[in-house]
Amino acid sequence: MMNVLSDRINNLATSQTLAMAAKARELKAQGKDIISLSLGEPDFNTPDFIKEAAKQAIDDNYSAYTPVDGYAELKEAICRKFKRDNGLDYKPSQIVVSTGAKQSLYNIAQVMLNDGDEVILPAPYWVSYYEMIKLSGGVPVVVPTSVETDFKMTAEQLEKAITPKTKMMWFSSPCNPSGSVYSEAELTSLCEVLKKHDIYVVSDEIYEHINFSGGSFSIGAIPGMFDKTITVNGVAKAFAMTGWRIGYIGAPEFIAKACTKMQGQVTSGANSIAQRATIAAVDADPKVLGHMVEAFHSRRDLVINLMNDIPGFKNNIPEGAFYVFPDISYYFGKTLKGMTIHNADDFSMFLLEHANVATVTGDAFGNPDCIRISYATSEEQLKEALRRIKAAVTE
């Protein structure tokens, strides 16, 4: 019998973050008291001034199809934001607005990768990078890091990973899932290697404002990198707008045009009301986000302090985003409550079954020794979740 589904979809991995979130919802529906620390979504409401801009857009009848690459006013606002926050001097013709930063990333993979092109991924990496690259014919080349190096790739590691087929490097800073933030000096060191080999970079900066280190730095601002960098951003994380689905890129003009061409055949322009609301978001002083950033910082400290009391958890100190990524390899080969832990997948399932806490296996992010825990929830929930985890591994 002919296969009905394509090899393409059959070979595509399911998103582990979405899968664990769905499993947690399923167990909750069955009446189980599950605390979900699996999904990367702020627990704040979208700021009122952004909602007011959306309401005004409805009243002003922004209900027609939008330009494929975004409203001109939004692209101009994004240019102002890039200049103000990142020291990047883009023109509107270099901006493409998409239905979430995930689509922005997929567009890039589709328009830049040919079969066999290699893409360097410092691990841990965001779960969808790997599959997007594969789906576009590229070959992910994973460069492992560890908690001891703050989950950051060095210039020496980068140099060793490069081959004649290397075309790009993709990374995020602040990083999902580790919360690590590359310093200007660390990025400059990487750029010396990238420039020598003429490699393009995708810099995912979606978490830039959720940063406890005093500010993030854009790799595109390093001399010689602007024309080799595609900067990806959006409003989902910092502005608590995950459901509004607006992402964007700043890129060399020929890449921006290619992404617009691709998007024009797939989704066309992003939602009209969400785009008008995003103008208000990106034009706002980032200081308006201060209360959210302070809350995340406080939760980070709480989670790290509680984790330090759990045997076998090895942590770095995340400087951004809203995740911790503990190394739990201490438990590999051990038996807990009758369940033998072989890997991070097993440990994550153990916590779901015996602690009623949903996390995500680090294997989904390219690091099989870790699990990802999101602290985008209340301090009360975090205290209870960590209490349950400690009890599950010690009692």
Side-chain angles (χ1 to χ4, degrees), residues 119-181:
V119 180
I120 293 173
L121 293 180
Y125 46 76
W126 181 53
V127 60
S128 292
Y129 293 166
Y130 194 96
E131 294 301 320
M132 287 179 182
I133 291 163
K134 280 176 50 184
L135 198 57
S136 303
V139 178
V141 176
V142 176
V143 177
T145 67
S146 68
V147 67
E148 287 82 10
T149 62
D150 198 24
F151 298 111
K152 296 178 187 178
M153 178 177 66
T154 65
E156 291 75 20
Q157 287 179 297
L158 174 60
E159 182 74 60
K160 289 179 181 177
I162 292 170
T163 76
K165 294 182 178 180
T166 304
K167 189 169 191 178
M168 306 185 79
M169 181 185 91
W170 288 31
F171 81 113
S172 60
S173 180
C175 175
N176 175 5
S178 70
S180 302
V181 178

Side-chain angles (χ1 to χ4, degrees), residues 37 126 222 264 283:
L37 305 181
W126 181 53
I222 292 173
D283 266 341

Side-chain angles (χ1 to χ4, degrees), residues 21-322:
K23 181 68 173 174
R25 285 193 295 269
E26 178 186 328
L27 292 173
K28 281 184 179 180
Q30 295 172 7
K32 294 193 175 181
D33 180 21
I34 303 295
I35 299 176
S36 182
L37 305 181
S38 62
L39 204 55
E41 182 169 46
D43 59 321
F44 295 96
N45 294 321
T46 302
D48 287 342
F49 74 93
I50 297 173
K51 292 189 283 188
E52 290 303 320
K55 294 173 189 176
Q56 187 62 51
I58 294 171
D59 290 341
D60 290 344
N61 296 307
Y62 280 96
S63 52
Y65 285 130
T66 61
V68 172
D69 55 348
Y71 282 125
E73 301 95 321
L74 175 54
K75 291 168 61 175
E76 290 164 1
I78 290 169
C79 288
R80 292 192 294 271
K81 173 261 177 292
F82 273 134
K83 184 70 173 176
R84 178 194 70 213
D85 297 343
N86 311 103
L88 300 172
D89 198 7
Y90 287 113
K91 299 178 294 186
S93 59
Q94 296 176 282
I95 306 298
V96 182
V97 179
S98 300
T99 305
K102 184 176 278 190
Q103 184 181 24
S104 300
L105 290 161
Y106 185 69
N107 284 345
I108 295 163
Q110 284 288 302
V111 307
M112 292 198 69
L113 296 177
N114 289 312
D115 289 351
D117 285 343
E118 293 180 354
V119 180
I120 293 173
L121 293 180
Y125 46 76
W126 181 53
V127 60
S128 292
Y129 293 166
Y130 194 96
E131 294 301 320
M132 287 179 182
I133 291 163
K134 280 176 50 184
L135 198 57
S136 303
V139 178
V141 176
V142 176
V143 177
T145 67
S146 68
V147 67
E148 287 82 10
T149 62
D150 198 24
F151 298 111
K152 296 178 187 178
M153 178 177 66
T154 65
E156 291 75 20
Q157 287 179 297
L158 174 60
E159 182 74 60
K160 289 179 181 177
I162 292 170
T163 76
K165 294 182 178 180
T166 304
K167 189 169 191 178
M168 306 185 79
M169 181 185 91
W170 288 31
F171 81 113
S172 60
S173 180
C175 175
N176 175 5
S178 70
S180 302
V181 178
Y182 281 88
S183 68
E184 181 178 355
E186 289 165 337
L187 290 176
T188 299
S189 178
L190 294 176
C191 286
E192 293 306 310
V193 178
L194 295 166
K195 287 186 284 187
K196 181 170 66 173
H197 295 280
D198 199 30
I199 294 170
Y200 282 85
V201 176
V202 168
S203 179
D204 182 350
E205 302 179 10
I206 193 78
Y207 291 94
E208 66 169 336
H209 292 309
I210 306 173
N211 190 324
F212 321 128
S213 65
S216 59
F217 188 83
S218 292
I219 195 169
I222 292 173
M225 288 304 298
F226 182 75
D227 291 332
K228 291 292 182 181
T229 301
I230 304 99
T231 307
V232 179
N233 213 318
V235 291
K237 309 299 184 178
F239 291 92
M241 294 175 68
T242 51
W244 297 70
R245 308 309 302 134
I246 295 291
Y248 55 85
I249 65 168
E253 192 166 318
F254 76 98
I255 296 175
K257 286 182 177 179
C259 288
T260 300
K261 182 180 179 181
M262 171 63 65
Q263 190 163 294
Q265 293 289 10
V266 181
T267 59
S268 296
N271 177 276
S272 59
I273 306 306
Q275 285 199 56
R276 303 310 298 187
T278 299
I279 295 173
V282 297
D283 266 341
D285 187 327
K287 290 179 181 177
V288 302
L289 307 171
H291 68 289
M292 288 190 274
V293 177
E294 288 174 10
F296 285 131
H297 195 172
S298 175
R299 295 171 188 176
R300 191 272 318 254
D301 292 346
L302 171 68
V303 169
I304 292 295
N305 286 335
L306 292 174
M307 275 190 178
N308 286 338
D309 285 335
I310 301 176
F313 275 55
K314 193 188 304 181
N315 310 297
N316 70 324
I317 305 297
E319 291 292 349
F322 37 70

